[in-house]
Amino acid sequence: MVDEPSNLAGAVADAVDPDEVVTFTRSLIAARSENPGGTEDAAADVAVSILRGLGADPTIVRSDAGRPSVVAAIGDGGRPHLAWNGHLDVVPAGSPDTWASDPWAGAIHDGRLVGRGSADMKGPIGAALAAAAALVRSGVQRRGTLVFHLAADEELAGIHGTKVLWERGLLDQDACIVGEPSELQLGLAERGGAWFTATAYGRAAHGSQPHRGVNAITSMARFLLRLPEVLPDLEHPLTGRPTVNAALITGGSAPNVVPDRCQVDIDRRISPGETDPEQVRAPFLALVADLQRDHPDLEIDVELREWTDAAEASPDTEIVRIARDAVAAQTGTSPASVGFTGITDARFYINQAEIPTVILGPGSLTVAHTAGESIDVDELVAGARSYARIFATFLG
Ligand SMILES: [Zn+2]
């Protein structure tokens, strides 16, 4: 029976054109959108023109700073609505000398397409657009609407991108796929971040008479060496243990002065379930108090500068089931449930909009942000065909 759902999904998967997947991906990579360092306008224009070719009428939603996100609907506008989110920005390519080939050309070497954003995440966007093209060509979309959210500014926390879409009331779909590279596994949780600034205060003195002062750098050193003690004994089944990293340090005023100040930015990654900033901060203060027992002159303040929630999606939703079946049918292997150690825009759908969500995309985070970033072309096409199956099933 040709209209049996899995056969329909298979037919749409077969309608994906591998050349189109590569062409879309290459044209997106060539439209440079480094963040920091540029805007997403060129990449948004490429996406708009591809989406117009699919019969959509895309709109560009700009943040107050003018950064563009593309929103486009494919279908009759009726329910259900399935969101597919991807970010248009990429991290800077760095020096071209560190790349074996042009980071903006998308050349294929040994079966891998090379370029900044090939994995994170212009490859997944190209795959999703090619899957939408296959859906349109095969004419099986019998109900509902596929909604693309191609967002600005994910790499620097999404403030000008998906967050803006949420604030403007555009995150109201019935399910969502965030296409971050997951090696075609099902991403169901991600860690959040608590960024602290620790400031050690000392007392300045002549550098030849250090005993007359209190050295703020020495105080900070004592604190930093015991930093792992601030971590709670938690282990999340998908995201693992929380971490802490001393990221940026400044201190001192001159080579011959005892420093009276030293400041360190600390990156504490939080697990799903860690929701109270004061509870995360408390062990830092306890560590300072403990150090003061042996070093009464030590004085360190720890202030929370920024907090980003962790997120955890329900594994028991229709979109997760459909995604699992689609990847299994396409690749022959049932995908595992995995967690992301980093932060993605999925948190806006999961935490703010409370939409059933899965993170799923071709490509690997192990090569994202590196010089020579690349994606396996077979995996890229398998990603497009998996998306095609999901779209056909959810909207068929
Ligand atoms: Zn990404």
mmCIF file of all heavy atoms in Angstrom, residues 253-301:
data_model
loop_
_atom_site.group_PDB
_atom_site.id
_atom_site.type_symbol
_atom_site.label_atom_id
_atom_site.label_comp_id
_atom_site.label_asym_id
_atom_site.label_seq_id
_atom_site.Cartn_x
_atom_site.Cartn_y
_atom_site.Cartn_z
ATOM 1 N N SER A 253 49.208 45.958 39.098
ATOM 2 C CA SER A 253 49.290 47.274 38.451
ATOM 3 C C SER A 253 50.684 47.580 37.915
ATOM 4 O O SER A 253 50.812 48.330 36.955
ATOM 5 C CB SER A 253 48.861 48.369 39.442
ATOM 6 O OG SER A 253 49.687 48.308 40.596
ATOM 7 N N ALA A 254 51.741 47.033 38.489
ATOM 8 C CA ALA A 254 53.107 47.309 38.039
ATOM 9 C C ALA A 254 54.022 46.222 38.595
ATOM 10 O O ALA A 254 53.698 45.592 39.606
ATOM 11 C CB ALA A 254 53.559 48.686 38.535
ATOM 12 N N PRO A 255 55.183 46.009 37.948
ATOM 13 C CA PRO A 255 56.076 44.924 38.396
ATOM 14 C C PRO A 255 56.635 45.133 39.804
ATOM 15 O O PRO A 255 57.069 44.172 40.438
ATOM 16 C CB PRO A 255 57.222 44.957 37.374
ATOM 17 C CG PRO A 255 56.684 45.688 36.198
ATOM 18 C CD PRO A 255 55.669 46.655 36.725
ATOM 19 N N ASN A 256 56.625 46.365 40.306
ATOM 20 C CA ASN A 256 57.243 46.611 41.617
ATOM 21 C C ASN A 256 56.215 47.005 42.683
ATOM 22 O O ASN A 256 56.536 47.688 43.647
ATOM 23 C CB ASN A 256 58.313 47.700 41.491
ATOM 24 C CG ASN A 256 57.735 48.988 40.920
ATOM 25 O OD1 ASN A 256 56.596 49.024 40.467
ATOM 26 N ND2 ASN A 256 58.537 50.051 40.957
ATOM 27 N N VAL A 257 54.963 46.574 42.476
ATOM 28 C CA VAL A 257 53.908 46.892 43.443
ATOM 29 C C VAL A 257 53.220 45.597 43.874
ATOM 30 O O VAL A 257 52.920 44.745 43.033
ATOM 31 C CB VAL A 257 52.864 47.852 42.812
ATOM 32 C CG1 VAL A 257 51.712 48.108 43.784
ATOM 33 C CG2 VAL A 257 53.526 49.166 42.402
ATOM 34 N N VAL A 258 52.990 45.453 45.177
ATOM 35 C CA VAL A 258 52.176 44.323 45.648
ATOM 36 C C VAL A 258 50.739 44.558 45.155
ATOM 37 O O VAL A 258 50.161 45.616 45.422
ATOM 38 C CB VAL A 258 52.212 44.238 47.188
ATOM 39 C CG1 VAL A 258 51.234 43.160 47.685
ATOM 40 C CG2 VAL A 258 53.627 43.938 47.673
ATOM 41 N N PRO A 259 50.165 43.601 44.410
ATOM 42 C CA PRO A 259 48.855 43.850 43.797
ATOM 43 C C PRO A 259 47.738 43.894 44.837
ATOM 44 O O PRO A 259 47.672 43.042 45.723
ATOM 45 C CB PRO A 259 48.681 42.664 42.845
ATOM 46 C CG PRO A 259 49.538 41.590 43.402
ATOM 47 C CD PRO A 259 50.705 42.261 44.066
ATOM 48 N N ASP A 260 46.868 44.885 44.688
ATOM 49 C CA ASP A 260 45.756 44.985 45.640
ATOM 50 C C ASP A 260 44.447 44.455 45.048
ATOM 51 O O ASP A 260 43.408 44.534 45.687
ATOM 52 C CB ASP A 260 45.574 46.434 46.120
ATOM 53 C CG ASP A 260 45.196 47.401 45.006
ATOM 54 O OD1 ASP A 260 45.147 46.961 43.828
ATOM 55 O OD2 ASP A 260 44.963 48.578 45.309
ATOM 56 N N ARG A 261 44.536 43.907 43.833
ATOM 57 C CA ARG A 261 43.302 43.444 43.202
ATOM 58 C C ARG A 261 43.618 42.385 42.156
ATOM 59 O O ARG A 261 44.579 42.512 41.391
ATOM 60 C CB ARG A 261 42.629 44.645 42.527
ATOM 61 C CG ARG A 261 41.222 44.432 42.062
ATOM 62 C CD ARG A 261 40.741 45.767 41.461
ATOM 63 N NE ARG A 261 39.656 45.560 40.559
ATOM 64 C CZ ARG A 261 38.368 45.638 40.914
ATOM 65 N NH1 ARG A 261 38.062 45.944 42.156
ATOM 66 N NH2 ARG A 261 37.429 45.422 40.027
ATOM 67 N N CYS A 262 42.793 41.360 42.123
ATOM 68 C CA CYS A 262 42.898 40.327 41.080
ATOM 69 C C CYS A 262 41.497 39.814 40.786
ATOM 70 O O CYS A 262 40.730 39.535 41.709
ATOM 71 C CB CYS A 262 43.797 39.173 41.551
ATOM 72 S SG CYS A 262 43.949 37.855 40.321
ATOM 73 N N GLN A 263 41.179 39.723 39.502
ATOM 74 C CA GLN A 263 39.819 39.350 39.118
ATOM 75 C C GLN A 263 39.850 38.164 38.153
ATOM 76 O O GLN A 263 40.682 38.131 37.248
ATOM 77 C CB GLN A 263 39.156 40.541 38.441
ATOM 78 C CG GLN A 263 37.647 40.494 38.478
ATOM 79 C CD GLN A 263 37.044 41.865 38.225
ATOM 80 O OE1 GLN A 263 37.257 42.437 37.164
ATOM 81 N NE2 GLN A 263 36.312 42.387 39.188
ATOM 82 N N VAL A 264 38.953 37.220 38.369
ATOM 83 C CA VAL A 264 38.875 36.047 37.493
ATOM 84 C C VAL A 264 37.419 35.794 37.103
ATOM 85 O O VAL A 264 36.538 35.821 37.968
ATOM 86 C CB VAL A 264 39.447 34.795 38.198
ATOM 87 C CG1 VAL A 264 39.200 33.544 37.359
ATOM 88 C CG2 VAL A 264 40.943 34.951 38.432
ATOM 89 N N ASP A 265 37.186 35.573 35.806
ATOM 90 C CA ASP A 265 35.869 35.131 35.343
ATOM 91 C C ASP A 265 35.827 33.612 35.391
ATOM 92 O O ASP A 265 36.718 32.945 34.843
ATOM 93 C CB ASP A 265 35.610 35.618 33.920
ATOM 94 C CG ASP A 265 35.362 37.115 33.872
ATOM 95 O OD1 ASP A 265 35.028 37.687 34.932
ATOM 96 O OD2 ASP A 265 35.508 37.715 32.792
ATOM 97 N N ILE A 266 34.804 33.101 36.026
ATOM 98 C CA ILE A 266 34.682 31.661 36.234
ATOM 99 C C ILE A 266 33.439 31.142 35.525
ATOM 100 O O ILE A 266 32.350 31.694 35.661
ATOM 101 C CB ILE A 266 34.598 31.349 37.742
ATOM 102 C CG1 ILE A 266 35.913 31.756 38.418
ATOM 103 C CG2 ILE A 266 34.300 29.866 37.977
ATOM 104 C CD1 ILE A 266 35.848 31.760 39.922
ATOM 105 N N ASP A 267 33.618 30.077 34.759
ATOM 106 C CA ASP A 267 32.558 29.461 33.960
ATOM 107 C C ASP A 267 32.139 28.168 34.652
ATOM 108 O O ASP A 267 32.837 27.167 34.588
ATOM 109 C CB ASP A 267 33.126 29.190 32.554
ATOM 110 C CG ASP A 267 32.147 28.491 31.627
ATOM 111 O OD1 ASP A 267 31.033 28.150 32.065
ATOM 112 O OD2 ASP A 267 32.524 28.294 30.454
ATOM 113 N N ARG A 268 31.022 28.229 35.337
ATOM 114 C CA ARG A 268 30.502 27.041 36.033
ATOM 115 C C ARG A 268 29.329 26.513 35.220
ATOM 116 O O ARG A 268 28.339 27.216 35.017
ATOM 117 C CB ARG A 268 30.062 27.460 37.442
ATOM 118 C CG ARG A 268 29.117 26.526 38.133
ATOM 119 C CD ARG A 268 29.786 25.306 38.730
ATOM 120 N NE ARG A 268 28.917 24.814 39.803
ATOM 121 C CZ ARG A 268 27.837 24.048 39.600
ATOM 122 N NH1 ARG A 268 27.531 23.633 38.378
ATOM 123 N NH2 ARG A 268 27.074 23.680 40.621
ATOM 124 N N ARG A 269 29.488 25.309 34.658
ATOM 125 C CA ARG A 269 28.403 24.736 33.863
ATOM 126 C C ARG A 269 27.462 23.943 34.772
ATOM 127 O O ARG A 269 27.913 23.134 35.579
ATOM 128 C CB ARG A 269 28.966 23.866 32.749
ATOM 129 C CG ARG A 269 29.796 24.665 31.737
ATOM 130 C CD ARG A 269 28.969 25.766 31.079
ATOM 131 N NE ARG A 269 29.813 26.626 30.254
ATOM 132 C CZ ARG A 269 29.745 26.660 28.919
ATOM 133 N NH1 ARG A 269 28.887 25.911 28.278
ATOM 134 N NH2 ARG A 269 30.541 27.480 28.248
ATOM 135 N N ILE A 270 26.161 24.218 34.612
ATOM 136 C CA ILE A 270 25.176 23.646 35.521
ATOM 137 C C ILE A 270 24.405 22.521 34.850
ATOM 138 O O ILE A 270 24.181 22.517 33.640
ATOM 139 C CB ILE A 270 24.201 24.728 36.028
ATOM 140 C CG1 ILE A 270 23.544 25.479 34.877
ATOM 141 C CG2 ILE A 270 24.935 25.689 36.956
ATOM 142 C CD1 ILE A 270 22.555 26.530 35.322
ATOM 143 N N SER A 271 23.983 21.556 35.663
ATOM 144 C CA SER A 271 23.224 20.412 35.170
ATOM 145 C C SER A 271 21.737 20.718 35.193
ATOM 146 O O SER A 271 21.291 21.552 35.986
ATOM 147 C CB SER A 271 23.476 19.200 36.070
ATOM 148 O OG SER A 271 24.783 18.727 35.931
ATOM 149 N N PRO A 272 20.953 20.030 34.332
ATOM 150 C CA PRO A 272 19.500 20.128 34.487
ATOM 151 C C PRO A 272 19.138 19.819 35.937
ATOM 152 O O PRO A 272 19.687 18.893 36.542
ATOM 153 C CB PRO A 272 18.977 19.033 33.544
ATOM 154 C CG PRO A 272 20.039 18.899 32.498
ATOM 155 C CD PRO A 272 21.336 19.124 33.234
ATOM 156 N N GLY A 273 18.265 20.611 36.502
ATOM 157 C CA GLY A 273 17.902 20.439 37.912
ATOM 158 C C GLY A 273 18.568 21.453 38.816
ATOM 159 O O GLY A 273 18.094 21.713 39.919
ATOM 160 N N GLU A 274 19.691 22.029 38.373
ATOM 161 C CA GLU A 274 20.313 23.105 39.146
ATOM 162 C C GLU A 274 19.645 24.414 38.711
ATOM 163 O O GLU A 274 19.951 24.951 37.649
ATOM 164 C CB GLU A 274 21.810 23.172 38.882
ATOM 165 C CG GLU A 274 22.582 22.004 39.463
ATOM 166 C CD GLU A 274 24.087 22.255 39.450
ATOM 167 O OE1 GLU A 274 24.691 22.168 38.371
ATOM 168 O OE2 GLU A 274 24.641 22.554 40.517
ATOM 169 N N THR A 275 18.729 24.895 39.536
ATOM 170 C CA THR A 275 17.908 26.034 39.108
ATOM 171 C C THR A 275 18.063 27.256 40.000
ATOM 172 O O THR A 275 17.544 28.315 39.669
ATOM 173 C CB THR A 275 16.417 25.640 39.096
ATOM 174 O OG1 THR A 275 16.073 25.144 40.395
ATOM 175 C CG2 THR A 275 16.140 24.567 38.053
ATOM 176 N N ASP A 276 18.778 27.112 41.128
ATOM 177 C CA ASP A 276 18.846 28.213 42.087
ATOM 178 C C ASP A 276 20.250 28.832 42.089
ATOM 179 O O ASP A 276 21.204 28.215 42.565
ATOM 180 C CB ASP A 276 18.491 27.694 43.484
ATOM 181 C CG ASP A 276 18.574 28.789 44.547
ATOM 182 O OD1 ASP A 276 18.893 29.950 44.190
ATOM 183 O OD2 ASP A 276 18.337 28.479 45.728
ATOM 184 N N PRO A 277 20.405 30.048 41.541
ATOM 185 C CA PRO A 277 21.737 30.659 41.466
ATOM 186 C C PRO A 277 22.420 30.757 42.840
ATOM 187 O O PRO A 277 23.629 30.555 42.930
ATOM 188 C CB PRO A 277 21.453 32.054 40.890
ATOM 189 C CG PRO A 277 20.187 31.899 40.120
ATOM 190 C CD PRO A 277 19.375 30.875 40.857
ATOM 191 N N GLU A 278 21.653 31.032 43.889
ATOM 192 C CA GLU A 278 22.273 31.165 45.219
ATOM 193 C C GLU A 278 22.838 29.831 45.700
ATOM 194 O O GLU A 278 23.863 29.781 46.365
ATOM 195 C CB GLU A 278 21.263 31.725 46.227
ATOM 196 C CG GLU A 278 21.216 33.244 46.248
ATOM 197 C CD GLU A 278 22.616 33.892 46.281
ATOM 198 O OE1 GLU A 278 23.425 33.561 47.167
ATOM 199 O OE2 GLU A 278 22.895 34.714 45.393
ATOM 200 N N GLN A 279 22.144 28.755 45.341
ATOM 201 C CA GLN A 279 22.622 27.432 45.733
ATOM 202 C C GLN A 279 23.916 27.086 44.998
ATOM 203 O O GLN A 279 24.800 26.414 45.548
ATOM 204 C CB GLN A 279 21.534 26.408 45.420
ATOM 205 C CG GLN A 279 21.660 25.134 46.208
ATOM 206 C CD GLN A 279 20.480 24.204 45.951
ATOM 207 O OE1 GLN A 279 19.362 24.658 45.654
ATOM 208 N NE2 GLN A 279 20.726 22.919 46.031
ATOM 209 N N VAL A 280 24.043 27.554 43.767
ATOM 210 C CA VAL A 280 25.270 27.296 43.002
ATOM 211 C C VAL A 280 26.410 28.183 43.519
ATOM 212 O O VAL A 280 27.575 27.770 43.541
ATOM 213 C CB VAL A 280 25.009 27.534 41.494
ATOM 214 C CG1 VAL A 280 26.299 27.441 40.683
ATOM 215 C CG2 VAL A 280 23.985 26.515 40.973
ATOM 216 N N ARG A 281 26.082 29.377 43.970
ATOM 217 C CA ARG A 281 27.092 30.325 44.452
ATOM 218 C C ARG A 281 27.605 29.972 45.851
ATOM 219 O O ARG A 281 28.774 30.236 46.185
ATOM 220 C CB ARG A 281 26.481 31.733 44.455
ATOM 221 C CG ARG A 281 27.413 32.844 44.906
ATOM 222 C CD ARG A 281 26.748 34.194 44.624
ATOM 223 N NE ARG A 281 27.420 35.301 45.287
ATOM 224 C CZ ARG A 281 26.976 35.893 46.401
ATOM 225 N NH1 ARG A 281 25.874 35.475 46.994
ATOM 226 N NH2 ARG A 281 27.645 36.897 46.926
ATOM 227 N N ALA A 282 26.739 29.366 46.671
ATOM 228 C CA ALA A 282 27.077 29.140 48.080
ATOM 229 C C ALA A 282 28.412 28.406 48.295
ATOM 230 O O ALA A 282 29.200 28.809 49.169
ATOM 231 C CB ALA A 282 25.928 28.400 48.775
ATOM 232 N N PRO A 283 28.727 27.357 47.526
ATOM 233 C CA PRO A 283 30.010 26.663 47.767
ATOM 234 C C PRO A 283 31.240 27.539 47.484
ATOM 235 O O PRO A 283 32.295 27.318 48.097
ATOM 236 C CB PRO A 283 29.964 25.475 46.796
ATOM 237 C CG PRO A 283 28.532 25.299 46.449
ATOM 238 C CD PRO A 283 27.900 26.653 46.530
ATOM 239 N N PHE A 284 31.111 28.518 46.594
ATOM 240 C CA PHE A 284 32.222 29.456 46.369
ATOM 241 C C PHE A 284 32.484 30.260 47.649
ATOM 242 O O PHE A 284 33.625 30.462 48.055
ATOM 243 C CB PHE A 284 31.894 30.426 45.218
ATOM 244 C CG PHE A 284 31.869 29.820 43.837
ATOM 245 C CD1 PHE A 284 30.716 29.245 43.325
ATOM 246 C CD2 PHE A 284 33.012 29.831 43.044
ATOM 247 C CE1 PHE A 284 30.691 28.696 42.051
ATOM 248 C CE2 PHE A 284 32.997 29.291 41.759
ATOM 249 C CZ PHE A 284 31.835 28.721 41.273
ATOM 250 N N LEU A 285 31.390 30.709 48.272
ATOM 251 C CA LEU A 285 31.530 31.502 49.500
ATOM 252 C C LEU A 285 32.067 30.632 50.639
ATOM 253 O O LEU A 285 32.882 31.087 51.458
ATOM 254 C CB LEU A 285 30.173 32.117 49.884
ATOM 255 C CG LEU A 285 29.509 32.962 48.783
ATOM 256 C CD1 LEU A 285 28.207 33.572 49.303
ATOM 257 C CD2 LEU A 285 30.443 34.057 48.279
ATOM 258 N N ALA A 286 31.634 29.375 50.679
ATOM 259 C CA ALA A 286 32.126 28.459 51.717
ATOM 260 C C ALA A 286 33.623 28.211 51.539
ATOM 261 O O ALA A 286 34.371 28.115 52.533
ATOM 262 C CB ALA A 286 31.348 27.141 51.655
ATOM 263 N N LEU A 287 34.069 28.134 50.299
ATOM 264 C CA LEU A 287 35.496 27.936 50.036
ATOM 265 C C LEU A 287 36.297 29.151 50.521
ATOM 266 O O LEU A 287 37.359 28.996 51.153
ATOM 267 C CB LEU A 287 35.717 27.688 48.536
ATOM 268 C CG LEU A 287 37.174 27.642 48.057
ATOM 269 C CD1 LEU A 287 37.961 26.559 48.807
ATOM 270 C CD2 LEU A 287 37.232 27.394 46.544
ATOM 271 N N VAL A 288 35.779 30.346 50.252
ATOM 272 C CA VAL A 288 36.464 31.559 50.730
ATOM 273 C C VAL A 288 36.562 31.531 52.266
ATOM 274 O O VAL A 288 37.631 31.778 52.845
ATOM 275 C CB VAL A 288 35.717 32.830 50.256
ATOM 276 C CG1 VAL A 288 36.299 34.078 50.932
ATOM 277 C CG2 VAL A 288 35.793 32.959 48.731
ATOM 278 N N ALA A 289 35.455 31.189 52.904
ATOM 279 C CA ALA A 289 35.445 31.161 54.378
ATOM 280 C C ALA A 289 36.452 30.149 54.904
ATOM 281 O O ALA A 289 37.157 30.402 55.898
ATOM 282 C CB ALA A 289 34.035 30.831 54.878
ATOM 283 N N ASP A 290 36.556 29.016 54.235
ATOM 284 C CA ASP A 290 37.497 27.982 54.665
ATOM 285 C C ASP A 290 38.943 28.452 54.506
ATOM 286 O O ASP A 290 39.783 28.232 55.385
ATOM 287 C CB ASP A 290 37.245 26.709 53.857
ATOM 288 C CG ASP A 290 37.943 25.513 54.480
ATOM 289 O OD1 ASP A 290 37.764 25.308 55.695
ATOM 290 O OD2 ASP A 290 38.680 24.811 53.757
ATOM 291 N N LEU A 291 39.232 29.126 53.389
ATOM 292 C CA LEU A 291 40.582 29.653 53.170
ATOM 293 C C LEU A 291 40.937 30.714 54.218
ATOM 294 O O LEU A 291 42.099 30.824 54.638
ATOM 295 C CB LEU A 291 40.680 30.267 51.765
ATOM 296 C CG LEU A 291 40.717 29.270 50.595
ATOM 297 C CD1 LEU A 291 40.394 29.972 49.281
ATOM 298 C CD2 LEU A 291 42.081 28.585 50.512
ATOM 299 N N GLN A 292 39.949 31.481 54.639
ATOM 300 C CA GLN A 292 40.202 32.562 55.602
ATOM 301 C C GLN A 292 40.634 32.037 56.972
ATOM 302 O O GLN A 292 41.263 32.760 57.741
ATOM 303 C CB GLN A 292 38.948 33.444 55.738
ATOM 304 C CG GLN A 292 38.800 34.405 54.556
ATOM 305 C CD GLN A 292 37.459 35.089 54.518
ATOM 306 O OE1 GLN A 292 36.470 34.569 55.031
ATOM 307 N NE2 GLN A 292 37.412 36.267 53.884
ATOM 308 N N ARG A 293 40.320 30.782 57.263
ATOM 309 C CA ARG A 293 40.748 30.223 58.551
ATOM 310 C C ARG A 293 42.276 30.211 58.654
ATOM 311 O O ARG A 293 42.841 30.520 59.693
ATOM 312 C CB ARG A 293 40.167 28.820 58.745
ATOM 313 C CG ARG A 293 38.757 28.858 59.315
ATOM 314 C CD ARG A 293 38.353 27.480 59.827
ATOM 315 N NE ARG A 293 37.754 26.689 58.753
ATOM 316 C CZ ARG A 293 36.490 26.847 58.364
ATOM 317 N NH1 ARG A 293 35.704 27.728 58.957
ATOM 318 N NH2 ARG A 293 36.017 26.117 57.394
ATOM 319 N N ASP A 294 42.960 29.852 57.550
ATOM 320 C CA ASP A 294 44.432 29.833 57.559
ATOM 321 C C ASP A 294 45.034 31.154 57.093
ATOM 322 O O ASP A 294 46.207 31.427 57.359
ATOM 323 C CB ASP A 294 44.950 28.720 56.635
ATOM 324 C CG ASP A 294 44.800 27.353 57.280
ATOM 325 O OD1 ASP A 294 44.721 27.310 58.532
ATOM 326 O OD2 ASP A 294 44.742 26.351 56.538
ATOM 327 N N HIS A 295 44.243 31.937 56.360
ATOM 328 C CA HIS A 295 44.761 33.181 55.761
ATOM 329 C C HIS A 295 43.777 34.302 56.054
ATOM 330 O O HIS A 295 42.981 34.687 55.191
ATOM 331 C CB HIS A 295 44.948 33.008 54.240
ATOM 332 C CG HIS A 295 45.787 31.815 53.892
ATOM 333 N ND1 HIS A 295 47.159 31.797 53.995
ATOM 334 C CD2 HIS A 295 45.434 30.564 53.485
ATOM 335 C CE1 HIS A 295 47.622 30.611 53.644
ATOM 336 N NE2 HIS A 295 46.600 29.843 53.335
ATOM 337 N N PRO A 296 43.805 34.843 57.265
ATOM 338 C CA PRO A 296 42.787 35.826 57.670
ATOM 339 C C PRO A 296 42.772 37.092 56.805
ATOM 340 O O PRO A 296 41.750 37.785 56.765
ATOM 341 C CB PRO A 296 43.151 36.152 59.124
ATOM 342 C CG PRO A 296 44.401 35.415 59.440
ATOM 343 C CD PRO A 296 44.729 34.480 58.337
ATOM 344 N N ASP A 297 43.879 37.399 56.109
ATOM 345 C CA ASP A 297 43.896 38.584 55.253
ATOM 346 C C ASP A 297 43.219 38.365 53.899
ATOM 347 O O ASP A 297 43.023 39.306 53.142
ATOM 348 C CB ASP A 297 45.345 39.024 54.970
ATOM 349 C CG ASP A 297 45.977 39.674 56.196
ATOM 350 O OD1 ASP A 297 45.203 40.128 57.070
ATOM 351 O OD2 ASP A 297 47.211 39.708 56.250
ATOM 352 N N LEU A 298 42.932 37.118 53.589
ATOM 353 C CA LEU A 298 42.357 36.818 52.275
ATOM 354 C C LEU A 298 40.924 37.358 52.190
ATOM 355 O O LEU A 298 40.110 37.141 53.076
ATOM 356 C CB LEU A 298 42.369 35.301 52.067
ATOM 357 C CG LEU A 298 41.793 34.739 50.763
ATOM 358 C CD1 LEU A 298 42.635 33.546 50.284
ATOM 359 C CD2 LEU A 298 40.341 34.295 50.944
ATOM 360 N N GLU A 299 40.659 38.099 51.108
ATOM 361 C CA GLU A 299 39.312 38.647 50.915
ATOM 362 C C GLU A 299 38.920 38.471 49.455
ATOM 363 O O GLU A 299 39.580 39.002 48.558
ATOM 364 C CB GLU A 299 39.307 40.135 51.289
ATOM 365 C CG GLU A 299 37.913 40.727 51.294
ATOM 366 C CD GLU A 299 37.925 42.243 51.496
ATOM 367 O OE1 GLU A 299 38.964 42.789 51.936
ATOM 368 O OE2 GLU A 299 36.894 42.871 51.180
ATOM 369 N N ILE A 300 37.873 37.699 49.220
ATOM 370 C CA ILE A 300 37.426 37.443 47.841
ATOM 371 C C ILE A 300 35.898 37.536 47.779
ATOM 372 O O ILE A 300 35.204 36.893 48.558
ATOM 373 C CB ILE A 300 37.879 36.042 47.348
ATOM 374 C CG1 ILE A 300 39.414 35.947 47.343
ATOM 375 C CG2 ILE A 300 37.333 35.763 45.943
ATOM 376 C CD1 ILE A 300 39.957 34.597 46.929
ATOM 377 N N ASP A 301 35.420 38.360 46.852
ATOM 378 C CA ASP A 301 33.980 38.431 46.557
ATOM 379 C C ASP A 301 33.692 37.551 45.349
ATOM 380 O O ASP A 301 34.491 37.505 44.412
ATOM 381 C CB ASP A 301 33.586 39.861 46.148
ATOM 382 C CG ASP A 301 33.369 40.751 47.352
ATOM 383 O OD1 ASP A 301 33.379 40.223 48.479
ATOM 384 O OD2 ASP A 301 33.207 41.965 47.143
#
